Amino acid sequence: MSYKIKSRIWIESENNVLLGEGRVHLLKAIQDTGSLSKAAKSLNISYKKAWQLLDSVNKSAKKPVTINSIGGKGGGGAQLTEYGASLIKAFDEINMNCWAFLDDQLQKLERL
């Protein structure tokens, strides 16, 4: 018989979610598209939901994670700050290490 451990992680700051898989996907989409609107469309979420997620990240983070420019004739945009890119990298490493740890722990059941 084969077992799997299911888990999701997120990082909180004062009971507010800083990062989780959804927020990281949004930040990566902003990095790829250069726009919150385009990022939202690529993830099939509303602009309002994307804005709320990004706002919660920015409010929970030590520093701004994006630099936003207001739309207009040429359209607006959003870019990740260096800090924002560092948060993505750190979360991905933490998540990968978490899965490696859980896979290792699962071996305890398989040895029974």
Side-chain angles (χ1 to χ4, degrees):
M1 183 176 289
S2 175
Y3 296 104
K4 292 181 183 179
I5 293 180
K6 301 286 187 176
S7 177
R8 289 181 65 127
I9 65 163
W10 58 91
I11 299 168
E12 293 183 355
S13 172
E14 299 175 10
N15 292 326
N16 296 310
V17 176
L18 168 65
L19 290 176
E21 287 184 25
R23 286 167 170 81
V24 169
H25 286 307
L26 177 61
L27 293 178
K28 288 178 178 180
I30 290 169
Q31 188 174 37
D32 292 342
T33 65
S35 160
L36 181 58
S37 177
K38 289 177 185 174
K41 285 180 185 175
S42 75
L43 297 172
N44 294 316
I45 61 174
S46 71
Y47 177 83
K48 180 180 179 182
K49 177 69 173 175
W51 188 90
Q52 289 171 335
L53 290 171
L54 182 59
D55 187 53
S56 73
V57 171
N58 273 314
K59 286 180 177 174
S60 298
K62 292 180 183 177
K63 302 177 189 176
V65 296
T66 58
I67 298 170
N68 304 316
S69 58
I70 297 173
K73 185 176 180 182
Q79 294 179 331
L80 282 188
T81 61
E82 189 175 316
Y83 178 70
S86 296
L87 282 178
I88 290 173
K89 183 178 179 192
F91 182 86
D92 283 346
E93 288 177 10
I94 291 167
N95 202 28
M96 186 174 60
N97 290 338
C98 181
W99 281 105
F101 173 78
L102 291 174
D103 287 342
D104 185 52
Q105 294 301 303
L106 186 59
Q107 297 299 318
K108 292 177 181 179
L109 286 178
E110 295 188 1
R111 286 190 289 252
L112 296 178

